[in-house]
């Protein structure tokens, strides 16, 4: 089983795992081929891509020398609508390949055309005899079932159509503006030649890019971005290295203060020795008893 482009591909059950894997590989090849064809030809990538699907399936199966009947390929079509967490799903029963392509094209065309077209296609689908578990609905039952879910489907289809129209309009206007700016009339170069202002703008952009690559700045508004980038990078590095810098500065200040204190203490001691002279025995005996003082005087 494989799902892509609103189609769920199914094959018949196989007793061998290897055969089942080979069939799944075929389905993956069909998907890859369809995506490749869609990218190569954008004109075919519209709401109805039946031709691309048919071409991809035929080419892959022909290259593998198998047919759809041999692998038992069946498909179901699935469309999903969602609004504020409420989900509505349109899903066909398991159908043969060609019939599933027809229903897929009808549902996608109805979704792109609007609610009334989608409603008619949905009501016709609910009366299909392929629904075996619940059975097909009558026309009245199908209409009631579809109308009960009108709000979700209609809101989703309107949003999709508006989004598609905005995309097409923006693409067309952007392309038109680009062409007008590229081929604006120029009195110096004649009609159809690129204007001088655009050539100057392009030269400024190239000069700014060269300045940014060199890490400097050039004249003009856009050329200063290289200088601003270098300044911002330097500030970021300073912020990142600030803790290590603070610790190194603190250690240097501590060494300077300790050195100054040692020099001051040594200078004071030297001055006292020079002024008072060398201390005598009485200086050392100030805290001793009389007997000890007598002994020290005799020794000296």
């Amino acid at each position: 089983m494989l799902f892509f482009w609103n189609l769920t591909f199914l094959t018949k059950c196989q007793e061998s795992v290897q055969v089942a894997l080979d069939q799944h590989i075929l389905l993956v090849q069909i998907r890859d081929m369809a995506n490749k064809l869609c990218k190569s030809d954008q004109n075919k990538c519209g709401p109805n891509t039946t031709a691309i699907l048919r071409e991809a399936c035929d080419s892959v199966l022909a290259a593998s020398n198998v047919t759809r009947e041999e692998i038992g390929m069946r498909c179901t079509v699935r469309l999903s609508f969602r609004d504020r967490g409420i989900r509505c799903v349109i899903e066909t029963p398991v159908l043969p390949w060609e019939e599933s392509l027809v229903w897929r094209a009808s549902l996608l065309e109805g979704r792109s055309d609007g609610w009334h077209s989608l409603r008619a296609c949905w009501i016709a689908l609910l009366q299909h005899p392929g629904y075996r578990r619940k059975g097909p609905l009558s026309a009245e039952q199908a209409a009631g079932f579809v109308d009960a879910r009108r709000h979700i489907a209609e809101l989703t289809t309107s949003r999709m159509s508006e989004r598609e129209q905005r995309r097409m309009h923006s693409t067309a206007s952007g392309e038109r503006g680009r062409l007008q700016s590229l081929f604006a009339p120029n009195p110096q170069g004649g009609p159809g030649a690129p204007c001088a202002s655009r050539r100057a703008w392009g030269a400024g952009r190239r000069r700014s890019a060269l300045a940014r690559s060199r890490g400097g700045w050039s004249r003009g508004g856009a050329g200063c971005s290289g200088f601003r980038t270098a300044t911002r990078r330097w500030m970021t590095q300073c912020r990142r290295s600030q803790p290590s810098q603070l610790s190194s500065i603190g250690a240097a200040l501590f060494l300077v203060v300790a050195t100054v204190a040692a020099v001051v203490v040594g200078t004071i001691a030297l001055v006292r020795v020079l002024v008072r002279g060398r201390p005598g025995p009485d200086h050392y005996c100030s805290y001793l008893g009389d007997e000890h003082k007598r002994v020290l005087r005799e020794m000296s």
Side-chain angles (χ1 to χ4, degrees), residues 252-262:
L253 289 177
F254 175 77
L255 291 176
V256 170
V257 171
T259 304
V260 171

Side-chain angles (χ1 to χ4, degrees), residues 225-239:
S225 59
F227 177 74
R228 289 195 297 266
T229 303
T231 305
R232 192 180 300 112
R233 188 181 298 111
W234 176 78
M235 293 177 64
T236 303
Q237 292 177 357
C238 290
R239 284 196 298 268

Side-chain angles (χ1 to χ4, degrees), residues 179-229:
L179 293 176
Q180 289 178 358
S181 62
L182 283 174
F183 300 99
N186 184 12
Q188 299 179 359
C195 59
S197 61
R198 185 166 182 82
R199 290 198 301 270
W201 178 78
R205 289 291 299 273
R206 290 191 295 271
R207 186 169 57 252
S208 302
L210 181 60
R212 286 194 299 269
S213 64
R214 293 178 178 176
W217 60 281
S218 62
R219 298 173 60 183
C224 298
S225 59
F227 177 74
R228 289 195 297 266
T229 303

Side-chain angles (χ1 to χ4, degrees), residues 157-177:
T157 52
S158 62
R159 287 178 179 175
M160 293 182 64
S161 61
E162 292 176 359
R163 191 183 303 115
E164 184 66 20
Q165 291 177 1
R166 287 197 302 269
R167 186 186 65 82
M168 294 177 63
H169 178 70
S170 63
T171 303
S173 60
E175 186 67 19
R176 191 183 304 111

Side-chain angles (χ1 to χ4, degrees), residues 108-121:
L108 292 179
E109 184 179 359
R111 186 181 66 178
S112 60
D113 292 343
W115 165 249
H116 296 287
S117 178
L118 179 62
R119 179 180 181 273
C121 184

